Amino acid sequence: MGTISLTIDGQGVEVQEGKTILQASREAGIVIPTICDHKDLNPYGACRMCVVEIEGVRGFPTSCTTPASDGMVVKTQSAELTTLRNRTLELMLSGHPNSCLVCVHREACEKYRPGATKAGRATRCGFCSNREECSLREMALRAGENELGLPTLYSAHNVERSDPFMDRDYNLCILCGRCWRICEKIHGKPAISIINRGKWARLGTAFHKSHVFSGCTFCGSCIDICPTGTLTDRFARWYGKPDDRNLSACTLCAEGCSLFALTKSRRLVATRMTSFQWEASLCALGRFALAQIVNAPERLIRPAVQEGEDQIPCDWDTALELAASELPRFTESLAIVVSESTTREDRFLYARLAERLGASLIVVPSSRNGVEKELQGFTADLEKGRFRAVISGGDFLSAELLKGLNFSVVIDCLPSSGARGAKVVLPAAVLSEVEGTWRNVSGEVKELPAVSLPPGQARPEWQIICQLAQKMGLEGFEFKSAREVTSLVGSDPAPRPFDGEPRRGLRQLPSRFRGHLAADWVRPLEAFGMPSTPLEEMTESSKEGFEILERREVVPNMYFIKIMAPQVAKFAKPGQFVILMARETSERSPFTLVDWNGAEGTISLIIEEVGRSSRELISLPVGARVAHVSGPLGMPLPMEKKGTVVLGGGCYGIGAIYPIARGLREAGNHVIVVIEASSSYLLFMEDELKTVSDELIIATKDGSRGTRGGVQEVFVNLVQRGVDVAMFVAVGCTFMMRMAAEATKPLGIPTLVALNPIMVDGTGMCGACRVSIEGRTRFACVDGPFFDAHGVDWDELFSRRSAYSREEIEAMPQMVDLNALIHPHGSGGGCGSSCSHR
Amino acid sequence: MAKMTEEKTGARGGAQAKSKKKKTPRQPMPEQDPRRRRHNFEEVPQGYSEETAILEAGRCLQCKKAGCIQGCPVNIHIPGFIGLIAEGRFVEALLKLKEQNALPAVCGRVCPQESQCEALCILGKKGEPVAIGRLERFAADYAREHGGVPDPEQAPATGKKIAVIGAGPAGITVAGELARWGHDVVIFEALHLAGGVLMYGIPQFRLPKEIVQYEISSLQKLGVEIRTDYIIGKTQTVDQLLEEDFDAVFIGTGAGLPVFLGIPGENAIGVFSANEFLTRVNLMKAYDFPKYATSPIRPRQVITVGGGNVAMDSARTSLRLGAGSTIVYRRSRSEMPARAEEIHHAEEEGVEFHLLTNPVRILTDEKNHVTGMECLKMELGEPDASGRRRPIPVEGSNFIIPADTVIISIGNQPNPLVPQTSPEIEVTRKGTIITDPETMMSSKPGVFAGGDIVSGAATVISAMGQGKKAARAIHRYLMGEDPPEANPETPDNDTQED
Ligand SMILES: Cc1cc2nc3c(=O)[nH]c(=O)nc-3n(C[C@H](O)[C@H](O)[C@H](O)COP(=O)(O)OP(=O)(O)OC[C@H]3O[C@@H](n4cnc5c(N)ncnc54)[C@H](O)[C@@H]3O)c2cc1C
Ligand code: SF4
Ligand code: SF4
Ligand code: SF4
Ligand code: SF4
Ligand code: FES
C-alpha cells in the first residue's frame, strides 16, 4: 500500500492508504473530538462528534468512518461544525444527567466538595464516580456552559448491583456501543448488546440475565472502556482517579497475565488489562479479586511467636532470632513449602536456603481443585514422621500437623487456622507489594514492580529469607534488594500448567491463593460457585425494632420512609431529628423529621442514598424493622411570629422544611418556601409544601424549572423585589447552606441553618458533632441543629465532615446476595414504578 | 474521671497482725501476657481458679469488726462471702454478695479496691491485704458460668410504678431493688444498649460486655422493662412521666458531658473526647470494622490528656488499635486518680507517660488534621483546694510531641438534659442535682437521683451505693414503710477499727 497526501485544516498530511480521516488527523496532531471511537475498536460512527467538512462532499461525514483519499481537503473546525457538535452533545446529554455541567455554582461546588458523593444513582457529576476521568464531561465543559435546548429525560432504569464486582447504572449510558463492541472483539460472542429499540434502547444481557449466567467472564474491559460512569468497578469506584499506573503481572495462576496495577497514594485500587484484546485479557480473579486480596482488612501485620498455648506478637528480631536458633537443628528433617505465586527471586532464595540447610523444597503450584492433591505425598511424609520441622509459605498444613512437629515457621499474608499451630508466624508482603520477576507457563519472564505499600510490618519474602539466613550465619544472602537476586536466578523452570482456562469461564478460576480459599477473602467469588468457608450468621431478632410502614423512592436517590415509632411521634417538634440504626451492627446516623402523627405513632423521613448507612436503611423493605430509632433529638426551632419568613430547602432539606413551614405558618407568619434541586426531575413534595406555605418558589441548577440557580439566587431576587424578610432558614447539604449564608450575610438578614456534622450518640455525650459558632464550640446535637448561619466556621465544618471519607469508601458493601443474582429483578432498591417524575 | 475516694495508704503501718496462722501469700491474678494483650481486646486478668480462690479466701482472718466492710461504699459483708468461698460454697458466696451489690462481676473488676475495702483490711497493715476484689469477681463469674443461682425472691406486686432514667450502675441498682420489692419498674435509656458507662466507656479488655448484658438480662427476668432509644428531656420530660403514670422517678443519667481543654486546635480532625473515642470502639465496635459500620479511628501516634481511669482506658485502647500511646498529665504520678492496677497495666503494655506536662495547643496541617501537640513542663507548688499540690508552669519549657490523634480525657460533667427540661429540679453550679443525702430525693417531690449526676464523675460502686439508698427511700416514699430487707443486719457504719 502506498501513501497518500491530503490537506487537513490547511496543513499537508501524508498517511498510509486505508487510514480514516480521523486517523490521518491524529497522526498530524490535529484533534477531532470523539466519543464512541476508541483506538482498540473498529470505527462505528455512532456518536457523530467527529464530523468534518470535505471539499466537494455534501453534508458532514463522520471522520472515524470515512477513509482518507489522495488530494482530499478536510476542515475539522468551522462555526457550522461547532454548532453541529454542540447539538450532538446536547442530544447526548439530554438523556444524561447534566445539571453539574451547566450549573452556575460548579466552581464553588467543586472547591468545597472535591470528592464525588457515594450516591446510589449518579443524577449528576457530583454523584458520579467517573467524574475525575470522564471524557464526556470534559468535552461538555470544553464546549462551554451553553444553555441546553432540550429537556432532561432521566430514564429511571434500575441500578444493577446484584452482580459481583460491577455496578451498572444505565441511566448514564449514551449508547456509544464501546462496551458491547469490546466484549465482542475480545470474546467473539458479546455477553451484552443493545436491547430494545428507539427510545427504549439500552445495553444489557439477553433476557436480562445476570452477567454470571450470560457468558460474561468478568474481564472488566467494558468497565474500563466505558466513557461514562455507567459501568463501574464496585471496589475501586469511589477511590477516585488513580495517581499511578504500572505494568505488572498477575501471579495467581500459571498463565501469569500482564496487567496494569493502578494505585492511589501507594494503595492498589485496581488491576486491569494492558490492552483491549483477547491475548491481554484477565480473568475475574486477576481483574477484580487481586486488589481485594491485597487490601483485605484481615492481612497479617506483625510477627508472632508461640509461648505455651498462646501466640505472642513480637518484633521482627525476636521472631527471626527464634527461628534462626531452631531451624539449623533439623537439616534433612526440615521441609520448606512455597507457593508458585511467589516471585522467582523469592523462590530462588527459598531454594538456596533449603540447599544450605540440607532441607527439602516443595513448590506448590496454583490449581483449580485445591492444593490437597498436590500436597498429598508431602503430608503423608509428614504424618510418617519423615520431617520434624517446616517453613510454610502459605495455608498448606493444618494446625494439628504443625503442632505435631518440633518446629514450624509460617510466612504468609493472611491468617489461617493452620498458622495458629506454628511456632513462628511472619507477615509477608505479596503481589503488588513485592518487587521481582515472574516466569509464566509459556516461559516469558515478567517484571513485577512494588507499587503498593505492605500493611503494618509485613515484609517481602526475599527480605525475610535473607534476614533469617543471615541470623543463622549462612553466607550468600547479603542482598539489599530483589533486583540483586534476579541475575542469579538463571533458567528456572516454568510453573506447571494450570488445569483450566480461567479467562474462558467463571467455573475455571483458580480457587486458592497460597493455599487459602480465594473466596474466603473475596466473598463475591462465591457467586461463581467458588468454594469458601461459611461465615457465621449474625442472627437478629425480627420482632424488635421499629417497623417500616411505607417506603418509596420519590425521586432518584430520595426515599420517603414511614416508620412506626410512637415515642418519637408523640413528642416531636419542628426542626428535630432522629438517630437511626438499620441493624445492630450499623452506624448511628441522624435524619431530620419530615412529618409525624402522634395518634398513629408514625414518623416520616426523607432518606437520601449517599453512602453505606443510608443505603442500608433504604434497602429495608416495607414490613422490615429498623433496629433503633431514637429521638426526637436536637432543639426544636421556636415557632414564633416574625413576619415574613423564607425557608430554603435542598436535597433532603426539601422534606425537612415541611414541618417548619407548617409550624411557622400556624404561628401566623407569611411563609415563602424556596426549594432547589439540580434538575426538575429531582424536585419532590411540591404539593405538600404548597399546602403549608403562602408562596412556593422553585430553583433548578440546570434551569429546567423555575429560577436557574439555587435558593440563594431566589432569595436575592425576593429581597430586590422588596420583600421584607424577617428570617431565613436553610436546610440542606452543607454546601447549599454555606452558599445561602454567604448570600444573606451582606443583606444583614437573620439566617438559621440546620448543621449536619458527623454524630455518634446525638445526646451530647461524645462531642463528635462539635461546631464552631462565633469562635465558641457547640455540640450540634444538643445545642443545635439550628445555628446563626453567619457565625458558622464553614471551613471547619467541611473538614470535620470529611474526617472519615476513606473509611466510608472502604465500608461500601462488596458482598453479593446470591438470591438476588438468581432472580435479578426480584428486589434491590429500584426506582421502578413507584418513582414519581414530574 | 474517677475521683480519689480515700487517701490511698492512710490506714497502713503501725498495727501488728493479730493472727499467728501460717502465712499464705496473696494469690497473684493470672493475666494475659502484656506483649500479646496490647494487640487484642480480650480481657486482661483471667480470673482465679477454684483452688486459688479457696487459697486466697483462706487468708481472711474473719475479723469480728471487719475494717473492709467500712471501706466498702455499699458495705458488702466481706468476711461472710469470703468465708463461704473458703468452704467451697461459691454460689452461696454470690448470694451473700448480692445482698448488698447488684453487680459483683462488674465491681470485682472495676472498683478501686486499693483505696476502699482492701485499704482497710487488717492484713494490709503488715503485708498484703486479702484480694477482696478478685474473690468478688471469682464468685460472680463462677455462678454465672456454672448456673445454679436461685431466682431472687420477689415480693407481691404493689401496684406502684417507677420510672428510672438511665441504665447505668445507679439506675440498674435502683431498678433491681425496687423490682424485688414488688414495684413495677421501667428504665428509660437514651442509647441503643443498656449499661451506661459500663457499655460505652469501660473497654472490653477490662470489662467484657457479655457480663454487662448478663446483668441486664437478670434485671429483665425480674420484670423490669427497659426502653432503649428513649431520651428523657427530649422524647419526654420528667414532669410528663409523673403526670402520666409513674408514682416516682429516679434520675441516674450520669456524667456524660465531655469537658474539653479550650486550647487552639481542639476541633481539628483527630481530636476526640474520651467518650467519643471509647464509644466508637466499645459500644459501636468500630474495631470490628467493616462488619460494624461505625468508622473506626486508625491512630498511629496517640496522646491522651488526663490521668484518670478514663485516660488509662483510652491510652490502652489506642495501643490495641495499633498505635503508639502517650499520656500527658499535668500533675505527678502520685496524684493520678486512676486505679493503681490500671496505671500498672498501662505501663506494662507500653504506654508512655509525660507527667507534669500541660498541653498548650494542638498543631494541625493544612487539611486540619492533627500533627502534634505543644506542651509545657510543670512543677508542683502548694496544695490546692483538692489537697493536691498545684502544678505551676515552667517558663519557656515548651516542647512538641508529634501525634496524629489526641484524646481529651480531663473529665465529664453531669448530663444536662434532664435538669434543663425540669426546672423544678435544683442543681449546683457544676450542674449536679441537689439531693437530700439520706433519701436522695431532689427538690422536686417524688423525684430521686443518684450516681454521677449527683456526685459528679465518681465510681461505679458509689453510684450503686446511692442507688441502694434511693431505692429504700423510694419504697418508703411510696409505701410509707421500710422495704422488706432480705438481710436486715446492715453492718453498723459507726464502728471504727482501732
Ligand atoms: C472510661 C471510663 C472508665 C471508668 N472506670 C471506672 C473504674 O474502673 N472504676 C469505677 O468505679 N468507675 C469507673 N468509671 C466511672 C463510672 O463508670 C461511673 O462513675 C458510673 O458509671 C456512674 O454510674 P451512673 O449510673 O451514675 O451513670 P452512667 O453509667 O453514666 O449511666 C447513665 C446512663 O443514663 C443514660 N442517660 C443519660 N441521659 C439520659 C436521658 N436524658 N434519658 C435517658 N437516659 C439517659 C446514659 O445514656 C447512660 O446509659 C469510669 C468511667 C469511664 C467513662
Ligand atoms: S458520566 Fe458521570 S461524570 Fe461523566 S458527565 Fe455523566 S454524570 Fe458527569
Ligand atoms: S466484563 Fe468482559 S465479558 Fe463481561 S460484559 Fe464486560 S467485556 Fe464482556
Ligand atoms: S455502557 Fe458505557 S460503553 Fe456501553 S454504550 Fe453505554 S456509555 Fe457506551
Ligand atoms: S488467568 Fe486470571 S488468575 Fe491466571 S494469571 Fe491470568 S488473570 Fe491471573
Ligand atoms: S453526637 Fe455526640 S455529642 Fe453530639
Side-chain angles (χ1 to χ4, degrees), chain B residues 127-451:
Chain B
E128 293 241 72
V130 175
I132 302 169
R134 295 172 185 176
L135 288 171
E136 179 179 14
R137 164 184 167 156
F138 167 79
D141 287 358
Y142 181 92
R144 189 179 63 252
E145 282 153 21
H146 294 79
V149 188
D151 285 337
E153 276 173 45
Q154 223 169 336
T158 60
K160 301 284 182 199
K161 219 170 161 190
I162 299 120
V164 172
I165 310 173
I172 292 175
T173 309
V174 172
E177 297 282 86
L178 293 174
R180 276 202 292 131
W181 299 333
H183 304 293
D184 204 354
V185 184
V186 182
I187 303 187
F188 296 95
E189 167 56 51
L191 294 174
H192 59 280
L193 288 173
V197 170
L198 308 180
M199 277 314 280
Y200 76 72
I202 304 181
Q204 181 77 7
F205 57 83
R206 206 142 78 74
L207 176 62
K209 301 302 154 233
E210 301 71 44
I211 293 175
V212 184
Q213 287 313 306
Y214 173 86
E215 299 296 349
I216 304 285
S217 67
S218 20
L219 263 193
Q220 285 166 317
K221 267 196 236 133
L222 280 171
V224 173
E225 187 194 336
I226 302 179
R227 289 199 204 149
T228 51
D229 304 315
Y230 212 111
I231 307 112
I232 301 301
K234 288 287 169 194
T235 311
Q236 218 176 343
T237 62
V238 171
D239 300 0
Q240 285 165 331
L241 288 175
L242 281 174
E243 279 159 30
E244 271 170 29
D245 45 8
F246 290 98
D247 302 298
V249 173
F250 174 80
I251 305 171
T253 49
L257 181 71
V259 178
F260 285 89
L261 290 160
I263 58 173
E266 217 170 9
N267 288 349
I269 299 176
V271 184
F272 301 91
S273 72
N275 280 2
E276 179 184 357
F277 182 76
L278 293 171
T279 300
R280 278 181 187 270
V281 180
N282 298 328
L283 184 71
M284 308 310 294
K285 296 200 168 47
Y287 63 85
D288 204 355
F289 178 83
K291 186 167 146 202
Y292 285 82
T294 299
S295 290
I297 299 161
R298 291 176 173 145
R300 272 193 287 275
Q301 189 60 46
V302 180
I303 302 174
T304 306
V305 182
N309 284 322
V310 187
M312 297 306 134
D313 285 348
S314 305
R316 293 171 68 200
T317 300
S318 306
L319 284 180
R320 283 159 175 79
L321 296 175
S325 181
T326 303
I327 284 200
V328 164
Y329 180 56
R330 65 195 187 109
R331 302 182 194 247
S332 74
R333 165 96 187 222
S334 56
E335 274 96 17
M336 279 200 171
R339 287 177 82 203
E341 183 180 299
E342 307 311 329
I343 302 177
H344 170 67
H345 279 154
E347 278 182 331
E348 218 176 36
E349 289 167 10
V351 174
E352 262 186 68
F353 287 77
H354 273 282
L355 302 174
L356 286 167
T357 302
N358 206 27
V360 179
R361 75 193 160 103
I362 293 163
L363 310 167
T364 55
D365 64 12
E366 73 289 351
K367 284 182 156 172
N368 201 23
H369 286 267
V370 172
T371 58
M373 191 164 82
E374 186 181 324
C375 299
L376 202 55
K377 280 270 163 216
M378 309 293 267
E379 56 194 13
L380 287 182
E382 295 301 304
D384 63 10
S386 72
R388 300 182 294 182
R389 290 175 62 192
R390 187 196 301 278
I392 319 168
V394 180
E395 278 311 311
S397 63
N398 300 45
F399 68 105
I400 285 169
I401 312 177
D404 59 356
T405 302
V406 173
I407 301 170
I408 312 290
S409 178
I410 54 165
N412 284 319
Q413 283 171 356
N415 235 317
L417 272 184
V418 171
Q420 250 171 25
T421 49
S422 307
E424 285 170 67
I425 299 175
E426 280 174 28
V427 293
T428 63
R429 213 163 26 87
K430 287 184 181 155
T432 51
I433 295 182
I434 299 171
T435 55
D436 175 331
E438 283 312 305
T439 65
M440 308 308 293
M441 179 129 88
S442 72
S443 52
K444 187 175 166 79
V447 176
F448 298 76

Side-chain angles (χ1 to χ4, degrees), chain A residues 93 96-101 122-138 140 171-174 226-230:
Chain A
L93 286 172
H96 184 98
N98 58 38
S99 50
C100 287
L101 302 171
T123 50
R124 52 195 178 86
C125 302
F127 281 9
C128 181
S129 55
N130 199 44
R131 183 170 80 163
E132 290 174 47
E133 299 171 84
C134 184
S135 37
L136 180 63
R137 178 179 138 87
E138 215 177 278
N171 302 300
L172 300 182
C173 175
I174 51 168
C226 174
T228 68
T230 310

